[in-house]
């Protein structure tokens, strides 16, 4: 059986990753495709415990411990969920993956990229996404969406705005050809303007995927 596809949704806070991932999962499910949707951190019993600790505003976690906790959640998710699903030929949709670690723990927290690269290689066991859809939105606009959702802010959302500005600038850098050619472990990255309506963003997501894999993704919903 052919290996499935690993599609990652990335971007700054409130870009609309979860919303788009859900729409895509529903669309593929309706077309009777084998689709698996997971998120980071989390997606396994151990991962969900790690997620609770990582996002709890009361947790005191130093940057290196934070990075390693994300990696631990990722290792469990890759081995227990993502690899088996890919081996069964599924389309696996992941809400964040290691690009987030490069952005948040690398550029945001200031941890050395080389150390993150090694730790990540161990966590993923060399798994490379087939495509990362990087949703772009100005930081304040994304944060306004998060605040409007009115479900409280987690430990990382409450970090000062300049941290999130650094993270957003990091994602912009990751979208460049130069950065991507130096980081083959990240796979191809495609930019999606996330400032548009949910409907229009989804149309752009599907159009991109259909162009790359016309037999797997419909041209429109
Ligand atoms: N993190 C994660 C790290 O630091 N390192 C890592 O290695 C990893 C993997 C995860 C946190 O962990 C950090 C990053 C995060 O801070 P999370 O709760 O999973 O925490 O947070 P996010 O992934 O940021 O998820 P969010 O839900 O906050 O953001 P989304 O998924 O981008 O946004 P979404 O889809 O939930 O939408 C937010 C709101 O906007 C509305 C939605 O209805 C919702 O209310 N919306 C739109 N409104 C207008 N127009 C559109 N086009 C809209 N799309 C969505």
């Amino acid at each position: 059986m052919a290996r499935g596809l690993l599609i990652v949704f990335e971007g700054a806070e409130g870009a609309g990753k979860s919303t788009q991932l859900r729409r895509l999962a529903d669309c593929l499910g309706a077309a009777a495709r084998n689709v698996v949707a997971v998120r980071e951190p989390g997606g396994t019993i151990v991962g969900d415990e790690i997620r609770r600790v990582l996002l709890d505003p009361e947790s005191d976690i130093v940057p290196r411990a934070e990075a390693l906790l994300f990696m631990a959640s990722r290792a469990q998710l890759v081995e227990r969920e993502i690899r088996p699903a890919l081996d069964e030929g599924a389309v696996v949709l992941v809400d964040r993956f290691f690009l987030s670690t490069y952005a948040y723990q690398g550029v945001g927290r200031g941890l050395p990229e080389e150390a993150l690269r090694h730790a990540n290689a161990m966590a993923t066991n060399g798994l490379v996404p087939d495509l990362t859809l990087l949703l772009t939105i100005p930081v304040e606009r994304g944060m306004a969406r998060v605040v409007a959702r009115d479900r409280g802010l987690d430990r990382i959302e409450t970090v000062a705005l300049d941290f999130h500005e650094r993270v957003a600038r990091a994602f912009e850098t990751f979208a460049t050809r130069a950065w991507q050619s130096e980081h083959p472990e990240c796979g191809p990255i495609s930019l999606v303007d996330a400032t548009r309506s949910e409907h229009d963003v989804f149309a752009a997501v599907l159009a991109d995927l259909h162009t790359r894999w016309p037999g797997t993704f419909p041209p429109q919903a």
Side-chain angles (χ1 to χ4, degrees), residues 19-207:
T19 303
Q20 295 301 323
L21 187 150
R22 249 189 332 266
R23 288 183 80 131
L24 184 57
D26 290 348
C27 171
L28 293 175
R33 285 257 161 222
N34 181 4
V35 59
V36 171
V38 289
R39 69 174 174 189
E40 278 212 5
T44 62
I45 294 171
V46 166
D48 286 341
E49 275 296 299
I50 294 172
R51 179 184 177 87
R52 189 185 56 72
V53 172
L54 272 170
L55 299 186
D56 183 349
E58 299 299 316
S59 297
D60 172 27
I61 309 177
V62 298
R64 277 177 298 137
E66 181 179 276
L68 291 169
L69 285 168
F70 278 114
M71 295 296 184
S73 172
R74 180 165 306 143
Q76 189 77 8
L77 185 65
V78 166
E79 190 156 331
R80 288 279 188 259
E81 302 293 333
I82 297 179
R83 285 267 190 203
L86 289 174
D87 289 345
E88 283 176 11
V91 176
V92 181
L93 308 177
V94 188
D95 198 339
R96 295 194 183 277
F97 205 43
F98 55 78
L99 218 51
S100 281
T101 313
Y102 282 2
Y104 284 80
Q105 282 67 52
V107 179
R109 300 290 196 204
L111 293 178
E113 185 187 291
E114 204 45 31
L116 295 177
R117 193 197 296 247
H118 286 303
N120 186 62
M122 185 173 166
T124 61
N125 209 5
L127 183 64
V128 178
D130 292 291
L131 182 68
T132 294
L133 292 160
L134 177 51
L135 274 58
T136 61
I137 190 166
V139 171
E140 295 197 4
R141 208 158 151 193
M143 282 309 244
R145 287 183 184 173
V146 169
V147 171
R149 193 168 49 189
D150 201 22
R151 68 168 193 216
L153 298 181
D154 65 40
R155 191 179 62 84
I156 293 178
E157 285 162 351
T158 53
V159 181
L161 200 62
D162 69 312
F163 169 84
H164 290 286
E165 297 280 6
R166 283 200 301 283
V167 167
R169 278 199 302 275
F171 278 127
E172 279 170 25
T173 306
F174 301 165
T176 62
R177 273 183 197 282
W179 192 90
Q180 287 179 47
S181 66
E182 286 165 13
H183 296 79
E185 74 279 15
C186 294
I189 299 170
S190 185
L191 280 185
V192 180
D193 173 2
T195 60
R196 297 168 287 181
S197 70
E198 281 184 32
H199 175 274
D200 288 355
V201 176
F202 188 55
V205 164
L206 261 191

